[in-house]
Amino acid sequence: ARSTEGGIPRQLGRYAEATRAFEQAQAAQPTTQGAIAVYAARARAGATAPEQVLEEWIRSRPEDMGARAALAE
């Protein structure tokens, strides 16, 4: 599954590669878990404003408590 393609690079500490894989999966099939995975990978990669993906997700889905909880951590 596309959503798991970033898992191996993430486990190997290749966060930029993991970010790209998670972003592609999220673009193809948007999910809460996908948005959280993109956020986490961006944060580990040292990206500027990694929380932006979750903020955008929550703006379009304000009832999504899972994404809200991830952003609050």
Side-chain angles (χ1 to χ4, degrees):
R2 285 190 81 117
S3 62
T4 61
E5 290 178 12
I8 292 173
R10 179 183 58 201
Q11 291 174 350
L12 296 175
R14 298 191 319 237
Y15 300 115
E17 184 180 340
T19 297
R20 285 189 300 276
F22 287 134
E23 287 172 341
Q24 289 173 352
Q26 183 66 358
Q29 186 174 357
T31 65
T32 299
Q33 280 306 114
I36 293 169
V38 171
Y39 160 69
R42 286 180 179 177
R44 292 281 182 132
T48 303
E51 69 282 353
Q52 185 177 20
V53 67
L54 285 178
E55 291 170 348
E56 291 172 8
W57 182 264
I58 292 167
R59 267 195 295 280
S60 65
R61 295 161 186 86
E63 73 289 347
D64 190 331
M65 292 300 133
R68 287 179 177 276
L71 185 58
E73 290 182 5

